[in-house]
Amino acid sequence: MKTVKTTFPIQLFLVALLLASCSSNETAPPARVGLEDPVFNYISDDWIPQYYKMSMNSIWQAEGINRQGFNYYFLPKAVAPNACSERFNPASKYFQSWFGTYTIADNQDGVYAVVNDDLVVDEIIRLAIADQRAWLRNFA
């Protein structure tokens, strides 16, 4: 299988697609979402096969997003012995690459980024921007 390097806009599309595909039918009440660990069925050999999990609560709240949740993400493997992930190698095609998903706990306002059964993409983008700002503050 060919590995495709995703760019930031594609990552946002994938997150939006994941959230949009989790809707319920019109006759049943909306499914409530908690903070359950997602299941990843296939990970390319170029990536470390385990996910990393990070609380996003303080990152999102620092950006004015009053939600709690997690970032589940994968990093590319290292190509040399005793090396770090290729994410940290400026010469690598995987430099700064990752993929994953956020889980966001429902609250009294309901499902995050869903209003009247419509996906509010700008709200999903806010999550990603908060994540990117935190990354830049910590790793520049």
Side-chain angles (χ1 to χ4, degrees):
M1 176 173 212
K2 181 178 178 183
T3 302
V4 178
K5 180 178 178 182
T6 56
T7 60
F8 191 67
I10 292 173
Q11 291 168 349
L12 292 177
F13 171 74
L14 293 174
V15 170
L17 183 61
L18 176 67
L19 289 174
S21 66
C22 293
S23 64
S24 59
N25 65 38
E26 292 181 24
T27 59
R32 304 306 288 171
V33 178
L35 297 177
E36 297 82 13
D37 291 345
V39 175
F40 300 92
N41 292 320
Y42 174 78
I43 305 302
S44 168
D45 289 336
D46 291 340
W47 297 82
I48 299 169
Q50 71 183 47
Y51 65 78
Y52 298 88
K53 178 180 177 181
M54 180 175 73
S55 172
M56 298 300 290
N57 301 350
S58 62
I59 292 169
W60 290 338
Q61 291 168 10
E63 295 287 330
I65 302 168
N66 190 25
R67 291 296 180 134
Q68 296 184 7
F70 293 96
N71 181 2
Y72 295 82
Y73 61 97
F74 291 83
L75 298 176
K77 288 181 179 176
V79 295
N82 301 320
C84 295
S85 165
E86 286 296 286
R87 176 185 178 136
F88 303 101
N89 176 1
S92 172
K93 68 179 183 177
Y94 292 110
F95 181 56
Q96 302 251 355
S97 295
W98 66 275
F99 74 91
T101 191
Y102 303 123
T103 58
I104 306 159
D106 287 350
N107 67 14
Q108 66 276 6
D109 297 327
V111 178
Y112 182 80
V114 176
V115 176
N116 297 325
D117 292 328
D118 291 326
L119 186 64
V120 183
V121 176
D122 289 347
E123 292 299 310
I124 296 167
I125 292 171
R126 286 183 66 211
L127 297 174
I129 290 171
D131 191 354
Q132 184 66 23
R133 285 182 179 163
W135 165 262
L136 291 171
R137 276 192 303 272
N138 290 308
F139 299 102

